[in-house]
């Protein structure tokens, strides 16, 4: 079993119901997806024992300082006497959690951190990975780094996703949310990852995220419960007035959405977890936690994949992703590849009408020696688990359909370059199509309330299975029996609800904020950047994103239609930016831009430089 995808034990306790590229640098002050301020290579740095640690700040965990904790971890440093300690490769034979926390805080190279963890068996690391460093569990330092890959790897080594800072009783999930407000960049992925790895959303009072589209008051939600705990709200010991305000200020629309979604998701059974671990496919169990919408499609996909790996077949898995454009078909395939660490080949079927164009020519035709991208991908991954995503499959021809019958039927394919047989029985084929949009939209309109109710998943699953059968019948009429008979599963994708549309708008607004926050660059040429040093703030994000979504969503275009709505905000931001009566400058001070709603109208304003 691959430790990196280990599923925590909490997921095995209940079956009841209760959002990708690698980063090489980790820094608590900078989003790990964009780099770090400093890099420490563990292979060329000291790594002394925990007894050599000092803290720059005093320990905030003492009882008289809990209320003053600002959710900042102590800054760790090595004692002066250990600056010339032995290199990590010559260090102790035991895992050193304190030195590891120090390296994480200093922005150590991600691959070096993972390599250090992998030097030791899971049993050795698990013995200390939940130790406290200066009064805080090691997992708090991992979350502070804002690197989802490092977080996954630590949980695979038995790191506890439900760790708690005992003196304040603050859960790790709450720290992840509030800490996200202290650093730049979007932290939604980290929160979703933590939830997917076993952190329970139930540690948060539901008033903070239900309904997720509702704007949170600055002071936090109204305390409807009669708390029996002095100074606490919602009968939750850690939820003091100060923490409630911090949490309400930090929780974004996207985070509230994924927390509410996690609260309604069915927890995998012990047997499902065992199966996934035995097949090195633990990442499958977290696939529903990362997508906006399409919970039912994710459920059908998960069930089919678990069934397939439980009873392997020489026939490859061939699935149809059916639904309107822009509703997550490609995103679900990419997320599947990311979680399972699989190679993914996306093929735009609009570019091919003949078999020779898609798979490449055979000898003696010109170009046979080079092969096509798809041909070479299948050859490179012969016998391996991988994904081929055929986008807009309805644009393909009968000639291409006939060529696909053999690999779909027995998992065999002939390399066009030298006519050797290739085993593609482990290939996952996904045929994405919007040829059945009318069937899906009519069905959705007739059952919209039940299909959109996240609290009644059983009824939703029953209805989506019935829709899948109707899509299969329509596929049969469109593509014929030979191809239809080789399809393993039909996965319908539904239109987005109003709330899901708003969350997608929020995602695009965050991307806009990231694009304008970088520094101005006055150099001439491709590196020039005149729009920068702007920090985008979204007030009342639920209302703002709902209004933008209602004005822009088109069911035939899906998420793509919402980009246009966000472009209106960008245009107003640019107008405000150009109104500043000073020339462009590379100074680091940032200008704050606020997006708000007044009388159901979107308002964009910009403050003076800070």
């Amino acid at each position: 079993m691959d430790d990196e995808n280990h599923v925590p034990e909490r997921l095995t306790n209940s079956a009841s119901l209760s959002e990708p590229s690698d980063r090489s640098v980790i820094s608590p002050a900078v989003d790990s997806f964009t780099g770090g301020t400093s890099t420490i290579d563990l292979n060329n740095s000291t790594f002394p024992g925990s007894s050599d640690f000092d803290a720059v700040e005093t320990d905030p965990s003492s009882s008289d300082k809990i209320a003053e904790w600002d959710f900042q971890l102590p800054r760790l440093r090595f004692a002066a006497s250990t600056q010339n300690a032995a290199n990590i490769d010559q260090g102790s034979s035991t895992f050193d959690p304190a030195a590891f926390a120090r390296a994480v805080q200093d922005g150590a190279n991600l691959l070096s951190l993972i390599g250090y963890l992998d030097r030791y068996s899971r049993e050795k690391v698990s013995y200390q990975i939940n130790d406290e460093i200066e009064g805080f569990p090691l997992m708090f330092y991992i979350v502070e780094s804002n690197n989802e890959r490092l977080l996954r790897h630590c949980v695979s080594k038995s790191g506890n996703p439900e760790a708690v800072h005992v003196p304040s009783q603050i859960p790790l999930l709450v720290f992840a949310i509030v800490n996200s407000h202290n650093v730049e960049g979007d932290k939604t992925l980290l929160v979703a990852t933590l939830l997917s790895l076993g952190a329970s959303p139930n540690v948060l009072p539901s008033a903070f995220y239900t309904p997720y589209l509702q704007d949170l008051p600055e002071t936090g939600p109204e305390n409807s419960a009669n708390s029996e705990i002095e100074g606490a709200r919602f009968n939750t010991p850690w939820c003091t007035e100060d923490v409630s305000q911090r949490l309400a200020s930090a929780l974004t629309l996207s985070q509230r959405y994924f927390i509410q979604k996690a609260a309604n998701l069915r927890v995998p059974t012990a047997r499902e977890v065992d199966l996934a671990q035995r097949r090195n496919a633990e990442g499958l169990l977290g696939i529903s936690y990362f997508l906006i919408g399409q919970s039912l499609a994710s459920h059908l996909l998960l069930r089919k994949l678990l069934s397939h790996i439980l009873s392997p077949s020489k026939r490859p898995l061939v699935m149809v992703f059916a639904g309107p454009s822009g509703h997550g078909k490609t995103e679900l395939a990419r997320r599947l590849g990311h979680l399972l660490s699989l190679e993914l080949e996306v093929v735009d079927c609009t570019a091919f009408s003949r078999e020779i164009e898609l798979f490449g020519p055979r000898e003696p035709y010109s170009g046979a020696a080079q092969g096509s991208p798809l041909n070479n991908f299948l050859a490179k991954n012969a016998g391996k688990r991988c994904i081929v995503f055929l986008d807009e499959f309805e644009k393909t021809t009968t000639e291409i359909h006939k060529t696909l019958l053999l690999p779909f039927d027995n998992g065999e394919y002939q390399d066009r370059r030298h006519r050797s047989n290739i085993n593609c029985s482990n290939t996952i084929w996904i045929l994405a199509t919007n040829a059945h949009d009318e069937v899906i939209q009519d069905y959705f309109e007739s059952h919209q309330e039940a299909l959109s109710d996240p609290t009644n998943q059983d009824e939703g699953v029953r209805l989506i299975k019935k829709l899948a059968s109707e899509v299969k019948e329509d596929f049969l009429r469109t593509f014929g029996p030979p191809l239809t008979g080789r399809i393993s599963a039909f996965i319908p994708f539904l239109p987005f609800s109003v709330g899901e549309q708003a969350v997608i708008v929020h995602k695009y607004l965050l991307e806009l904020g990231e694009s304008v926050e970088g520094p101005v660059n006055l150099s001439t040429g491709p590196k020039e950047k005149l729009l920068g040093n702007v920090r985008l703030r979204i007030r009342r994000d639920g209302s703002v994103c709902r209004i933008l979504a209602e004005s822009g969503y088109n069911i035939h275009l899906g998420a793509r239609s919402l980009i246009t709505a966000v472009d209106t905000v960008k245009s107003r931001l640019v107008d405000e930016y150009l109104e500043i009566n000073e020339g462009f400058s590379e100074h680091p001070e940032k200008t704050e831009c606020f997006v708000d709603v007044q009388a159901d109208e979107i308002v964009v304003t910009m403050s003076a430089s800070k």
Side-chain angles (χ1 to χ4, degrees):
M1 183 189 73
D2 183 355
D3 280 346
E4 184 165 348
N5 289 320
H6 170 68
V7 178
E9 295 299 324
R10 189 187 72 81
L11 295 182
T12 70
N13 295 334
S14 171
S16 61
L17 289 175
S18 26
E19 127 80 337
S21 61
D22 295 340
R23 271 56 181 175
S24 60
V25 177
I26 302 173
S27 171
V30 180
D31 188 343
S32 61
F33 276 42
T34 58
T37 56
S38 62
T39 303
I40 295 180
D41 188 343
L42 298 191
N43 293 319
N44 294 288
S45 63
T46 57
F47 224 82
S50 59
S51 60
D52 296 319
F53 265 82
D54 291 332
V56 175
E57 301 174 6
T58 57
D59 183 358
S61 63
S62 58
S63 59
D64 61 336
K65 293 188 177 181
I66 289 177
E68 299 177 7
W69 186 37
D70 60 358
F71 281 77
Q72 297 285 340
L73 296 178
R75 312 326 295 167
L76 306 173
R77 60 180 174 83
F78 291 123
S81 61
T82 65
Q83 290 299 313
N84 296 317
N87 185 282
I88 182 174
D89 290 333
Q90 304 168 3
S92 171
S93 60
T94 59
F95 171 66
D96 188 336
F100 187 71
R102 163 67 170 85
V104 169
Q105 275 200 342
D106 270 6
N109 181 278
L110 172 61
L111 296 180
S112 295
L113 288 170
I114 290 178
Y116 176 69
L117 287 173
D118 289 345
R119 283 182 54 194
Y120 310 100
S121 67
R122 184 180 166 212
E123 288 71 24
K124 285 186 177 181
V125 175
S126 65
Y127 184 71
Q128 292 181 290
I129 198 168
N130 293 305
D131 282 4
E132 290 190 354
I133 313 299
E134 297 296 336
F136 293 88
L138 174 58
M139 290 299 294
F140 276 63
Y141 295 91
I142 304 304
V143 163
E144 184 190 36
S145 73
N146 188 42
N147 189 283
E148 60 101 9
R149 185 179 172 190
L150 180 63
L151 175 61
R152 285 183 180 282
H153 207 72
C154 288
V155 172
S156 78
K157 301 290 186 179
S158 297
N160 183 9
E162 298 194 291
V164 173
H165 175 234
V166 175
S168 65
Q169 298 190 41
I170 297 292
L172 185 62
L173 179 62
V174 174
F175 171 72
I177 295 167
V178 176
N179 181 65
S180 70
H181 200 54
N182 297 329
V183 291
E184 296 179 355
D186 179 31
K187 306 303 177 290
T188 303
L189 178 61
L190 189 80
V191 172
T193 300
L194 198 56
L195 291 165
S196 75
L197 293 173
S200 172
N202 297 325
V203 299
L204 283 168
S206 61
F208 281 95
Y209 58 84
T210 304
Y212 64 85
L213 196 53
Q214 178 176 295
D215 297 319
L216 278 176
E218 292 183 0
T219 56
E222 183 179 350
N223 186 14
S224 57
N226 294 320
S227 178
E228 299 175 359
I229 305 172
E230 184 177 356
R233 308 176 80 238
F234 304 100
N235 276 324
T236 305
W238 56 262
C239 195
T240 63
E241 183 176 344
D242 174 68
V243 174
S244 178
Q245 291 180 6
R246 289 178 182 272
L247 192 56
S249 177
L251 268 171
T252 66
L253 171 60
S254 294
Q255 291 171 355
R256 299 195 301 271
Y257 169 76
F258 284 112
I259 293 170
Q260 181 176 325
K261 186 175 186 179
N264 290 314
L265 284 174
R266 170 185 171 275
V267 178
T269 66
R271 183 160 294 182
E272 289 170 337
V273 172
D274 192 11
L275 171 63
Q277 290 177 345
R278 288 173 179 270
R279 296 292 187 265
N280 191 26
E282 295 92 332
L284 278 179
L285 303 179
I287 197 166
S288 297
Y289 289 85
F290 298 94
L291 298 177
I292 301 173
Q294 308 310 342
S295 296
L296 294 173
S298 300
H299 174 83
L300 290 184
L301 175 63
L302 175 60
R303 302 306 301 172
K304 187 60 187 180
L305 288 169
L306 289 176
S307 174
H308 183 73
I309 64 177
L310 175 64
S311 181
S313 169
K314 289 186 177 180
R315 295 184 62 178
L317 188 62
V318 183
M319 297 179 290
V320 170
F321 282 11
S325 296
H327 282 82
K329 298 188 293 292
T330 306
E331 176 61 25
L332 181 54
R334 291 190 187 281
R335 179 56 58 179
L336 176 64
H338 175 69
L339 291 175
L340 294 180
S341 300
L342 302 183
E343 294 281 345
L344 169 68
E345 179 74 7
V346 177
V347 179
D348 180 5
C349 292
T350 62
F352 308 105
S353 59
R354 301 175 58 203
E355 178 262 355
I356 195 173
E357 296 170 339
L358 180 60
F359 295 102
R362 294 182 174 91
E363 291 289 356
Y365 291 100
S366 174
Q370 286 74 38
S372 72
L374 178 56
N375 178 89
N376 299 346
F377 176 83
L378 292 171
K380 174 186 174 184
N381 292 280
K384 301 177 184 177
R385 192 187 292 165
C386 62
I387 302 173
V388 174
F389 186 84
L390 301 178
D391 199 15
E392 299 199 58
F393 186 75
E394 71 278 2
K395 304 295 196 305
T396 55
T397 61
T398 302
E399 178 183 333
I400 291 177
H401 300 167
K402 290 180 179 179
T403 306
L404 288 170
L405 294 181
L406 185 61
F408 284 4
D409 193 45
N410 60 13
E412 292 183 2
Y413 172 77
Q414 187 181 73
D415 190 336
R416 300 303 194 258
R417 294 170 297 183
H418 33 69
R419 296 180 180 269
S420 60
N421 287 332
I422 293 173
N423 175 15
C424 59
S425 60
N426 289 322
T427 302
I428 299 174
W429 297 84
I430 299 175
L431 318 183
T433 176
N434 55 18
H436 316 291
D437 287 4
E438 186 174 347
V439 172
I440 292 173
Q441 290 172 19
D442 288 346
Y443 190 89
F444 179 73
E445 290 176 3
S446 300
H447 305 87
Q448 183 171 355
E449 184 175 353
L451 288 169
S452 302
D453 183 4
T455 64
N456 190 359
Q457 193 176 44
D458 289 343
E459 177 63 9
V461 169
R462 185 187 71 81
L463 290 172
I464 201 71
K465 286 181 177 179
K466 185 177 179 181
L467 174 57
S469 297
E470 293 191 14
V471 170
K472 179 179 180 179
E473 291 300 317
D474 198 47
F475 189 92
L476 176 62
R477 290 189 292 269
T478 305
F479 296 97
L483 187 61
T484 305
R486 289 165 171 81
I487 304 300
S488 311
F490 292 84
I491 313 290
F493 284 66
L494 302 174
F496 293 124
S497 68
V498 172
E500 291 162 353
Q501 296 167 31
V503 177
I504 294 169
V505 168
H506 187 255
K507 172 180 176 288
Y508 288 141
L509 284 175
L510 293 176
E511 291 176 359
L512 171 62
E514 184 177 349
S515 70
V516 300
E517 191 163 11
V520 169
N521 190 327
L522 299 182
S523 63
T524 58
K527 292 185 178 181
E528 181 186 65
K529 181 181 179 182
L530 301 181
L531 177 57
N533 289 330
V534 176
R535 181 177 287 112
L536 188 65
R537 304 288 194 188
I538 310 171
R539 291 171 170 166
R540 287 175 282 208
D541 54 3
S543 296
V544 166
C545 295
R546 175 183 55 80
I547 291 172
L548 288 171
E550 289 175 346
S551 67
Y553 180 68
N554 183 296
I555 194 172
H556 301 291
L557 299 175
R560 296 183 183 94
S561 63
L562 298 172
I563 296 176
T564 303
V566 174
D567 282 343
T568 62
V569 174
K570 181 178 180 180
S571 296
R572 297 183 192 182
L573 182 152
V574 169
D575 290 342
E576 292 288 326
Y577 186 75
L578 293 175
E579 284 295 316
I580 298 175
N581 192 25
E582 60 181 53
F584 295 109
S585 171
E586 293 184 347
H587 61 73
E589 290 82 3
K590 292 188 182 295
T591 299
E592 290 199 326
C593 180
F594 297 95
V595 183
D596 203 349
V597 57
Q598 295 179 6
D600 289 334
E601 294 289 336
I602 302 300
V603 178
V604 179
T605 57
M606 194 165 287
S607 71
S609 297
K610 290 189 175 182

